[in-house]
Amino acid sequence: MGSAEESPGSEVATSVESTLQDVEKHGVLSTDKTPGGDEEQWKRPVGRLVWFQVCVGIILSAMLYGLDTTIAADVQASVIQSLGQIEKISWVGIGFPMGSVATILLIGSCYGIFNVKWIYLGGIILFEVGSAVCGAAPTMDALIVGRVIAGIGGASMALTWGVGCILGPVVGGEFSVSSATWRWAFYINLVLAAITAPIYIFSFPSLDPRPELSHAEKWLKVDWVGAFLKAAFIILLMVALNFAGPTWRWGSGGTIALWVLFGVTLITFIVQQTFSIFTTSETRLFPVQFLKNRGLILTYIASAAANACVFIPIYFVPLFFQFTKDDSAIQAAVRLLPFITVVIFFIMFSGALLPVFPYYSAWYFVSGIFLLIGSPLMFTVTPTTKTAAVYGFEIIISIGAGLGGQIGYTIAASKVKPHEVPAAIGFINVSQIGTIALALAISGNIFQNLGFKRLQAALAAYDFTEVEIRSALAGTQSKIFQNGSDEVKTLAVNSVSSTISSLYGLSIAAGALILVVAVLMKREKLQMNLAVAG
């Protein structure tokens, strides 16, 4: 079998595709015999047109997820201008992947137990409900809730997201500067879903992977305790990272309580999964047995580090150009296209050549090298750095991130037994989607805290309130940039720009970690016979 690079959340995509492939291969038993033999023939239960429609539906839902993954990157300034509460702005980006990673293992488990069609449709409906909440949000809190709901729904959709990721910032930027406003960056999902709804409702086959089980028995097969604990510790971690500093002081009782609750919940989850409490070793949510496999652990770490280097530029490159070049949202989004396009190209490049050159540790080593060249260069960027140079630095990072970002799925699938392949894909899913949320939470916290301190120090001689200084971090539409003198604007731009550049310290650390992991990996060829085809 060949290999295919999977996108974040591809456990779900693989579940849907493999089930549909089963229909394609085995279908409905015919009573006809093959000419010259007694072997039974199998027929596909759906016609070619319906099969084509199903494939189109999966692809379109993939694009929707990709669109929502990046669409928030370029609407932040407009959201703040409309809803306020700058201290919560990072949640617009974090909420979506947080909802996905909190539920992805549970949903992947459900795909192996319940009717595939209804899990898929339920996810799309939840995704659209979340999008509607985002579009109509009267407050920042409502918008955050909508993003989390959309993320949960998106976790059950096929997540081949490349095209959507490219379009996301551009679509979001275009809406944010149009009369439609930023709200249509989320309402657009409802329009697209309405167009494709007949495919999902009427064309998707109804497939029950466990017809021998009653509904009650199916519900008992799900590790609900593990699902609750996993969602709880992820949410507590994200809340603690985002509230510490901008909302609550680091040493405050609320911050300490959040970190304690996170630690207790995480430890409880580890114990519950290790000893299969209220579940069994076969049905527990997390594949604990993989933690004994050195190769899987190193692959998990490398995948996480590479993906961290993707989403820091996606969310902060547009912001950099809006501050330093006075770009509109759409102009800033267009400047991001080279980065995303190159990342996707090298994801496909590494996937195509991995079977030809199967020494996977070398791929990670080269990935780390590129990241350790591009990230320090971005760390040195200032408002006076030439735009062409910034593009070049971005592209170097995108090559490294693309080379190492997705091969983990194929590597993990090749290192486990055939029946453990879905669990291995889920294992890397947690690494990838979890890293998106974690990278955005950490970078958002640094940006809010360090950016505020630098702005406050630079503008100490001027009579600006704390609220006005914090609002300046959201974009050039703030009072400081709209009404301040040229000197004030220059000081503010330099402070914000240096803060954004500092965020690439995370990419430097990630690149170094990938290099270390590559050195620790075995010098072996990847055995492709167990790799996932999709």
Side-chain angles (χ1 to χ4, degrees):
M1 296 173 67
S3 69
E5 295 314 304
E6 306 289 345
S7 61
S10 57
E11 176 184 16
V12 176
T14 301
S15 299
V16 175
E17 289 180 16
S18 63
T19 309
L20 293 176
Q21 286 167 1
D22 284 343
V23 175
E24 167 75 24
K25 182 178 179 181
H26 302 300
V28 176
L29 182 63
S30 169
T31 55
D32 295 334
K33 303 293 182 180
T34 56
D38 295 330
E39 298 170 353
E40 295 169 326
Q41 246 182 342
W42 293 88
K43 278 188 177 181
R44 181 172 55 194
V46 295
R48 292 186 180 276
L49 178 59
V50 173
W51 183 255
F52 173 77
Q53 291 173 339
V54 169
C55 292
V56 169
I58 292 176
I59 292 169
L60 290 177
S61 65
M63 190 183 74
L64 274 179
Y65 188 93
L67 193 74
D68 247 49
T69 302
T70 59
I71 203 166
D74 216 23
V75 301
Q76 297 178 78
S78 299
V79 169
I80 286 296
Q81 189 178 27
S82 176
L83 303 179
Q85 293 188 289
I86 172 64
E87 72 277 4
K88 297 180 181 179
I89 188 60
S90 57
W91 279 103
V92 178
I94 295 166
F96 190 77
M98 185 189 76
S100 291
V101 73
T103 57
I104 187 68
L105 290 182
L106 171 63
I107 292 171
S109 173
C110 288
Y111 264 113
I113 301 173
F114 298 99
N115 190 297
V116 171
K117 176 176 180 175
W118 301 116
I119 297 291
Y120 199 84
L121 280 175
I124 292 174
I125 291 170
L126 201 59
F127 177 81
E128 298 304 332
V129 168
S131 298
V133 172
C134 289
T139 65
M140 182 66 81
D141 290 337
L143 178 59
I144 293 167
V145 170
R147 289 289 285 166
V148 174
I149 293 172
I152 295 171
S156 70
M157 295 157 57
L159 308 184
T160 313
W161 48 268
V163 174
C165 278
I166 291 177
L167 294 176
V170 178
V171 172
E174 182 63 37
F175 279 129
S176 69
V177 298
S178 72
S179 58
T181 77
W182 59 269
R183 296 182 182 277
W184 271 92
F186 304 105
Y187 281 145
I188 188 66
N189 292 330
L190 304 179
V191 176
L192 295 175
I195 294 172
T196 55
I199 295 177
Y200 302 128
I201 296 172
F202 300 113
S203 297
F204 269 46
S206 182
L207 303 168
D208 187 349
R210 300 294 300 273
E212 76 279 7
L213 298 177
S214 66
H215 287 296
E217 289 172 328
K218 289 180 178 181
W219 281 89
L220 291 174
K221 286 285 184 181
V222 179
D223 181 8
W224 296 109
V225 174
F228 172 80
L229 291 172
K230 177 175 177 286
F233 85 73
I234 288 173
I235 292 170
L236 286 167
L237 175 61
M238 295 297 107
V239 172
L241 284 172
N242 281 276
F243 274 36
T247 305
W248 295 338
R249 296 188 182 279
W250 278 96
S252 69
T255 300
I256 294 172
L258 279 174
W259 284 110
V260 170
L261 283 173
F262 159 69
V264 170
T265 309
L266 175 60
I267 292 170
T268 304
F269 176 73
I270 292 171
V271 172
Q272 187 260 344
Q273 292 292 293
T274 301
F275 297 101
S276 301
I277 301 172
F278 301 114
T279 185
T280 67
S281 58
E282 291 76 26
T283 60
R284 63 188 174 190
L285 198 70
F286 189 83
V288 177
Q289 68 274 18
F290 291 171
L291 299 181
K292 299 177 182 179
N293 188 315
R294 170 189 164 192
L296 285 175
I297 292 174
L298 293 176
T299 302
Y300 182 102
I301 295 171
S303 296
N307 279 275
C309 297
V310 174
F311 280 85
I312 292 173
I314 283 178
Y315 273 82
F316 288 97
V317 164
L319 202 59
F320 171 82
F321 280 113
Q322 284 178 304
F323 277 109
T324 61
K325 307 300 181 186
D326 200 25
D327 278 2
S328 67
I330 186 65
Q331 289 172 323
V334 170
R335 293 185 189 273
L336 186 60
L337 291 181
F339 176 84
I340 299 179
T341 303
V342 174
V343 166
I344 293 172
F345 172 81
F346 277 93
I347 285 173
M348 295 187 293
F349 177 82
S350 60
L353 290 188
L354 186 60
V356 179
F357 187 80
Y359 293 95
Y360 57 91
S361 62
W363 286 97
Y364 281 124
F365 190 84
V366 175
S367 169
I369 291 294
F370 274 98
L371 291 173
L372 280 181
I373 294 173
S375 298
L377 290 172
M378 284 298 291
F379 191 84
T380 65
V381 167
T382 68
T384 59
T385 303
K386 293 182 178 179
T387 300
V390 177
Y391 285 163
F393 303 161
E394 286 178 34
I395 288 173
I396 294 173
I397 293 177
S398 64
I399 293 172
L403 288 174
Q406 300 293 313
I407 59 174
Y409 286 103
T410 302
I411 296 169
S414 73
K415 289 185 170 295
V416 298
K417 298 173 183 177
H419 71 276
E420 293 180 319
V421 168
I425 294 174
F427 185 69
I428 301 301
N429 270 334
V430 174
S431 167
Q432 298 231 12
I433 305 177
T435 296
I436 295 172
L438 190 61
L440 292 179
I442 294 174
S443 59
N445 189 289
I446 293 173
F447 182 70
Q448 290 289 331
N449 286 286
L450 182 60
F452 174 75
K453 289 180 179 179
R454 288 182 175 175
L455 272 173
Q456 192 175 46
L459 303 176
Y462 300 89
D463 190 23
F464 290 114
T465 66
E466 179 177 332
V467 173
E468 289 171 338
I469 291 175
R470 285 203 180 277
S471 67
L473 293 169
T476 55
Q477 298 173 346
S478 65
K479 180 179 177 180
I480 288 177
F481 287 99
Q482 292 295 315
N483 302 326
S485 64
D486 289 341
E487 182 180 1
V488 166
K489 292 177 183 178
T490 299
L491 290 171
V493 166
N494 288 337
S495 298
V496 175
S497 172
S498 66
T499 302
I500 293 174
S501 296
S502 297
L503 299 178
Y504 289 93
L506 298 174
S507 295
I508 295 173
L513 183 59
I514 291 176
L515 274 183
V516 172
V517 166
V519 171
L520 293 176
M521 284 177 168
K522 293 180 180 179
R523 306 294 184 270
E524 63 179 2
K525 290 183 178 181
L526 186 67
Q527 299 299 316
M528 305 300 290
N529 59 308
L530 295 181
V532 180

